[in-house]
């Protein structure tokens, strides 16, 4: 959920906007945690919120928000929690607006506006200088369901610009691995920023020299009402890996956020789990880190065990899961949670069939594994995307992928 607040200075029109984006633990949908493995339309994934007035005359429209959260076929399960999160987001926006007003009061509106332009112009120049030293390239990234992401990067030396073309990418899917075009755009912006060896803020100026081509109706630019819940968290990782591979900059990282959710009608929990990052020219990958298009921290075990009926039995590095090479990929992790009460759980992941690729002769990493250890000793292997009923005494085991190696060893 993104909360946007206009900032007024002297006139009736807003001069700036501040925003806060938060991932709520549950916004409805067919499974607790709002990350259903088998959604087939966006309505399966929770309450749809489009241009909703949240605050009016300085007051949160609580009754209207509650009605909104109760709407649709699969309403939010814990509106009190949603409202608390929304209040925090509004407070963050108000703090941001206050800081902007203080900045304008100190330096003047014209100066602040000018420097915002300077920041974007500098980012644009940094990307043009990056393009001066990169070569044309292309890559194909296969996902566990067989879908392909194809990208070709063509540099225009004369204009110091580039065309990044995703033609040939699979058509939109019946599953939820479709990613809105904004996800592809964000992944492209992220990759370019990573390759700039200069301390600049992430901003839209990085994309000024880029002609981004994403075919409509494809996996990366689907038509409504395509299901998209895995697009932001899983397909974005594959787009990032494909771009880095096309530029020859980095082997495949774990390629998944390993989204794990569980809950019931009263309690809902959502976490992403770290893995290995890919190696590159001159450096090894890193073990047990969140990679690329995610930055979520895990809940401390003490807090998790206090608030939810689970025990964190193991959380360790999965030694040897990174790809071999002159520079070795980072290792994934092994996470084991045992349930004290019955809960509905779900895993939404990738790289359980297709391994994170090596680069320049480096070896691929190990794929991830999802399984349930039942209280009676029976082991149940899960797919990359699956919902499962957990009983008291059952444990979920999630082994995350490593990163690919770089260079022949």
């Amino acid at each position: 959920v993104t909360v946007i607040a206009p900032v007024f200075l002297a006139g009736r029109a807003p001069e700036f906007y501040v925003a806060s984006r938060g991932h709520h633990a549950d916004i409805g949908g067919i499974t607790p945690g709002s990350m259903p493995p088998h959604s087939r339309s966006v309505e399966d994934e929770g309450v749809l919120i489009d241009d909703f007035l949240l605050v009016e005359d300085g007051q949160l429209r609580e009754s209207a928000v509650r009605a909104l959260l109760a709407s649709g076929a699969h309403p939010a399960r814990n509106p009190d929690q949603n409202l608390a999160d929304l209040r925090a987001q509004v407070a963050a926006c108000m703090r941001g607006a206050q800081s902007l007003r203080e900045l304008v009061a100190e330096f003047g509106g014209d100066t602040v506006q000018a420097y915002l332009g300077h920041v974007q112009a500098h980012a644009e120049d940094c990307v043009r200088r990056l393009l001066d030293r990169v070569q044309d390239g292309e890559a194909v990234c296969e996902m566990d369901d067989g879908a392909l992401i194809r990208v070709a990067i063509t540099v225009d030396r004369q204009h110091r610009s580039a065309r990044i073309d995703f033609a040939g990418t699979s058509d939109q899917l019946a599953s939820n691995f479709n990613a809105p075009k904004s996800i592809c755009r964000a992944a492209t912006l992220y990759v370019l920023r990573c390759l700039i060896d200069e301390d600049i803020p992430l901003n839209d100026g990085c994309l000024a020299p880029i002609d981004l081509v994403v075919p409509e109706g494809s996996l990366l630019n689907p038509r409504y009402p395509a299901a998209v819940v895995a697009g932001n968290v899983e397909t974005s990782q594959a787009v990032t890996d494909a771009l880095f591979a096309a530029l020859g900059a980095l082997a495949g990282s774990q390629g998944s956020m390993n989204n794990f959710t569980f809950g019931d009608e009263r309690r809902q929990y959502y976490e992403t789990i770290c893995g290995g990052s890919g190696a590159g020219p001159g450096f090894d990958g890193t073990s047990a880190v969140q990679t690329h298009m995610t930055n979520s921290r895990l809940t401390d075990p003490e807090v998790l065990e206090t608030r939810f009926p689970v025990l964190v039995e193991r959380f360790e590095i999965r030694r040897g899961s990174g790809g071999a090479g002159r520079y070795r990929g980072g290792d994934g992790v092994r996470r084991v949670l045992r349930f004290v009460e019955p809960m509905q759980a779900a895993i939404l992941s990738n790289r359980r069939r297709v391994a994170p690729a090596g680069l320049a002769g480096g070896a691929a990493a190990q794929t991830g594994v999802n399984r349930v250890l039942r209280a009676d000793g029976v082991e149940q292997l899960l797919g990359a995307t699956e919902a499962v009923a957990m009983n008291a005494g059952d444990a979920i085991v999630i082994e995350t992928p490593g990163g690919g190696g770089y260079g022949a060893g």
Side-chain angles (χ1 to χ4, degrees):
V1 178
T2 301
V3 175
I4 302 172
V7 181
F8 298 90
L9 297 177
R12 295 177 60 85
E15 308 243 2
F16 304 96
Y17 292 91
V18 295
S20 167
R21 184 175 185 180
H23 290 263
H24 290 223
D26 184 277
I27 199 71
I30 58 178
T31 60
S34 307
M35 297 293 290
H38 303 304
S39 53
R40 291 296 178 263
S41 77
V42 70
E43 282 82 4
D44 292 338
E45 298 170 350
V47 176
L48 299 183
I49 303 174
D50 183 17
D51 196 21
F52 178 82
L53 181 62
L54 182 61
V55 176
E56 187 174 26
D57 296 330
Q59 298 294 318
L60 184 72
R61 301 176 64 229
E62 182 170 337
S63 296
V65 173
R66 288 187 180 276
L68 175 66
L69 294 171
S71 66
H74 308 287
R77 294 169 176 80
N78 193 345
D80 289 341
Q81 180 174 264
N82 295 123
L83 278 162
D85 288 337
L86 288 170
R87 287 189 177 95
Q89 289 184 253
V90 170
C93 287
M94 295 303 98
R95 183 67 183 91
Q98 178 185 343
S99 295
L100 264 173
R101 293 190 185 96
E102 291 171 354
L103 200 65
V104 169
E106 183 174 356
F107 297 104
D110 291 341
T111 300
V112 172
Q113 290 280 12
Y115 269 86
L116 291 175
H118 298 333
V119 165
Q120 293 193 47
H122 180 55
E124 177 183 346
D125 183 62
C126 287
V127 171
R128 293 194 189 278
R129 286 188 274 122
L130 169 67
L131 296 174
D132 288 339
R133 64 178 190 270
V134 303
Q135 303 299 317
D136 294 355
E138 57 185 36
V140 180
C141 185
E142 182 182 1
M143 301 175 69
D144 280 357
D145 59 5
L148 299 178
I149 294 173
R150 296 183 182 273
V151 62
I153 300 175
T154 307
V155 179
D156 184 333
R157 302 291 175 193
Q158 180 180 355
H159 296 96
R160 303 175 75 207
S161 61
R163 180 183 179 91
I164 299 179
D165 191 349
F166 287 89
T169 292
S170 295
D171 292 339
Q172 72 181 67
L173 307 171
S175 72
N176 56 22
F177 277 74
N178 304 292
K181 185 179 178 181
S182 59
I183 300 300
C184 187
R185 191 173 188 275
T188 303
L189 173 61
Y190 164 80
V191 168
L192 293 171
R193 174 62 188 86
C194 283
L195 297 176
I196 295 171
D197 190 18
E198 196 169 327
D199 188 16
I200 66 168
L202 188 69
N203 68 85
D204 205 51
C206 294
L207 290 177
I210 304 300
D211 177 19
L212 185 63
V213 181
V214 190
E216 186 178 356
S218 72
L219 167 68
L220 303 180
N221 190 6
R223 299 183 179 93
Y224 176 86
V228 295
V229 72
N232 180 47
V233 294
E234 298 299 301
T235 307
S236 63
Q237 298 276 7
V239 172
T240 304
D241 280 342
L243 288 167
F244 276 127
L247 292 165
L250 191 70
S253 294
Q254 68 161 333
S256 177
M257 294 189 196
N258 309 291
N259 308 269
F260 179 55
T261 53
F262 64 82
D264 53 23
E265 290 305 311
R266 293 189 301 114
R267 296 160 294 189
Q268 302 85 37
Y269 177 74
Y270 168 37
E271 70 180 23
T272 63
I273 307 173
C274 56
S277 69
F283 57 90
D284 294 328
T286 304
S287 301
V289 290
Q290 295 283 2
T291 56
H292 301 323
M293 305 302 292
T294 179
N295 61 357
S296 304
R297 291 183 60 188
L298 277 179
T299 304
D300 291 338
E302 296 83 359
V303 175
L304 179 61
E305 293 178 349
T306 299
R307 296 182 179 178
F308 297 93
V310 296
L311 299 174
V312 181
E313 288 197 348
R314 303 184 75 137
F315 188 33
E316 61 193 1
I317 294 177
R318 189 185 173 204
R319 302 291 182 187
S321 55
R326 183 178 181 187
Y327 300 100
R328 188 174 184 87
D331 291 330
V333 302
R334 182 178 295 105
R335 186 163 172 83
V336 182
L337 272 66
R338 191 169 297 276
F339 285 75
V340 179
E341 296 178 16
M343 286 265 166
Q344 183 71 24
I347 182 71
L348 185 59
S349 61
N350 195 42
R351 295 286 175 252
R352 269 51 180 176
R353 181 182 70 86
V354 180
L359 192 64
Q366 290 184 17
T367 55
V369 180
N370 308 321
R371 53 198 171 98
V372 173
L373 299 179
R374 297 295 181 185
D376 60 5
V378 173
E379 181 173 326
Q380 177 183 354
L381 187 64
L382 303 177
T385 59
E386 198 154 342
V388 60
M390 303 297 295
N391 302 311
D394 294 345
I396 187 91
V397 181
I398 300 173
E399 298 181 348
T400 66
Y406 183 92

